[in-house]
């Protein structure tokens, strides 16, 4: 029998990540889960092991610690074997009001939503490229498709991540490594809990299913739910001279 192909889930305590992890466990992958909350990681891993009977390892790790990325990946390999895939689900919405006054909050959001993910994926890309197989999933956001006054620091980091993933896809295409950019709309998770003005809110389970299916189908970009592709097409096509006057 073949060894299960290991998948690293970063930001594994997120509801979207948890649903996606379940889909990969169902498909027979071994999992390595990481986020900062060790107790929650332990609970999620126990549940996944019980339901799907696959190896599930965990480590509490702060992704912002970019100097620790290399040793984290060594521990992942020692624990579950050479990576086949990664799902980068970590992120922080932060406080958009605060980013206007507080450069520390702005720097934190840019680091955790763009710099730290890009640096981790840089390392993983080299590994997968050398083996010429596997997949990289990066969770961006529809907020990265156009800058809006209500959340442009978070949005610009997600937009930067999407551009990074696009370049990585272009580079890794020839060696057969899939790079999938996921752009969720509003999803019912801890990140959006209690936020005003949400509409068309999706369940994390449906988003997780859509992500795993997009990996199965070797897709490049996934708007989830699907109708956000068309909503964002309309939003992107509004001329800037009109858009800049809107209160969005
Ligand atoms: N919910 C939405 O409507 C929505 C829409 C578009 C995009 N997204 C994106 O979808 C992804 C999942 O979000 P979610 O809605 O499920 O939100 P969430 O529940 O807040 O999950 C965020 C995840 O990021 C992890 N994380 C945050 N800072 C970290 C750090 N410094 N080091 C390591 N892990 C860190 C958190 O784990 P710990 O706190 O345990 O570290 C958690 O697992 C995010 O990238 C988010 O930007 C969400």
């Amino acid at each position: 029998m073949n060894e299960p192909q290991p998948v690293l889930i970063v930001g594994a305590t997120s509801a979207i990540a948890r649903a996606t992890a379940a889909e990969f466990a169902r498909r027979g992958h071994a999992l390595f889960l990481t986020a900062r909350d060790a107790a929650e990681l332990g609970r999620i891993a126990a549940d996944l092991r019980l339901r799907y009977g696959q190896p599930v390892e965990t480590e509490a790790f702060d992704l912002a610690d970019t100097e620790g990325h290399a040793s984290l990946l060594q521990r992942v390999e020692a624990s579950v074997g050479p990576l086949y895939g990664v799902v980068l689900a970590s992120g922080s919405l932060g406080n958009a009001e605060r980013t206007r006054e507080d450069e520390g909050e702005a720097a934190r959001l840019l680091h955790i939503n763009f710099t730290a993910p890009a640096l981790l994926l840089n390392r993983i890309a080299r590994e997968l490229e050398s083996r010429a197989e596997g997949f990289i999933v990066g969770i961006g956001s529809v907020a990265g498709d156009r800058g809006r006054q209500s959340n442009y620091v978070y949005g610009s980091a997600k937009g930067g991540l999407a551009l990074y993933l696009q370049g990585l896809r272009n580079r890794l295409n020839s060696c057969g490594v899939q790079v999938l950019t996921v752009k969720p709309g509003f999803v019912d998770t801890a990140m959006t809990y209690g936020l005003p003005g949400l509409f068309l809110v999706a369940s994390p389970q449906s988003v997780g299913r859509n992500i795993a299916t997009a990996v199965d189908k070797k897709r490049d970009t996934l708007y989830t739910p699907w109708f956000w592709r068309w909503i964002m097409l309309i939003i992107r096509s509004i001329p800037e001279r009109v858009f800049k006057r809107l209160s969005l």
Side-chain angles (χ1 to χ4, degrees), residues 11-16 35-37 61-64 89-91 112 139-141 154 158 184-187 189-192:
T13 54
S14 122
I16 295 174
R36 291 166 303 174
D37 185 337
F61 182 81
D62 187 341
L63 185 68
S90 54
I112 203 57
I139 303 190
S141 171
Y154 170 80
K158 288 296 194 181
F186 296 123
V187 189
T189 69
M191 184 176 276
T192 51

Side-chain angles (χ1 to χ4, degrees), residues 10-18 34-38 40-41 61-65 88-93 108 111-113 116 138-143 154 158 161 182-193 195 198 201-202 204 207 224:
V10 183
T13 54
S14 122
I16 295 174
R18 185 176 179 160
T34 179
R36 291 166 303 174
D37 185 337
E40 185 64 6
L41 284 173
F61 182 81
D62 187 341
L63 185 68
D65 170 19
L88 192 293
S90 54
S92 174
L93 190 58
R108 184 186 74 78
H111 187 66
I112 203 57
N113 289 307
I139 303 190
S141 171
V142 293
Y154 170 80
K158 288 296 194 181
L161 183 64
V182 179
K183 298 184 179 187
F186 296 123
V187 189
D188 183 15
T189 69
M191 184 176 276
T192 51
Y193 181 76
L195 288 183
L198 302 188
V201 179
V207 170
T224 174

Side-chain angles (χ1 to χ4, degrees), residues 222-235:
L222 171 71
Y223 283 87
T224 174
W226 61 270
F227 45 77
W228 282 96
R229 177 179 293 277
W230 307 109
I231 294 174
M232 295 319 295
L233 184 67
I234 293 166
I235 289 182

Side-chain angles (χ1 to χ4, degrees), residues 169-183:
R169 179 181 308 121
N170 188 208
R171 169 182 148 206
L172 297 181
N173 181 57
S174 57
C175 69
V177 176
Q178 180 196 7
V179 178
L180 170 67
T181 308
V182 179
K183 298 184 179 187

Side-chain angles (χ1 to χ4, degrees), residues 95-154:
N95 182 325
E97 282 293 315
R98 256 185 71 199
T99 60
R100 298 180 181 195
E101 312 293 335
D102 177 353
E103 282 67 43
E105 171 71 354
R108 184 186 74 78
L109 282 191
L110 292 169
H111 187 66
I112 203 57
N113 289 307
F114 176 64
T115 313
L119 295 180
L120 183 76
L121 294 183
N122 229 44
R123 291 182 184 277
I124 295 174
R126 283 201 294 277
E127 271 189 48
L128 298 184
E129 187 177 33
S130 69
R131 289 196 293 279
E133 64 171 13
F135 64 83
I136 291 173
V137 176
I139 303 190
S141 171
V142 293
D145 272 15
R146 191 150 193 184
R148 292 178 292 122
Q149 60 177 296
S150 55
N151 71 350
Y152 56 87
V153 174
Y154 170 80

Side-chain angles (χ1 to χ4, degrees), residues 59-100:
E59 180 179 321
F61 182 81
D62 187 341
L63 185 68
D65 170 19
T66 53
E67 291 193 354
H69 286 181
S71 53
L72 171 73
L73 292 176
Q74 282 167 5
R75 292 191 294 279
V76 171
E77 178 160 348
S79 165
V80 288
L83 277 184
Y84 183 79
V86 58
V87 178
L88 192 293
S90 54
S92 174
L93 190 58
N95 182 325
E97 282 293 315
R98 256 185 71 199
T99 60
R100 298 180 181 195

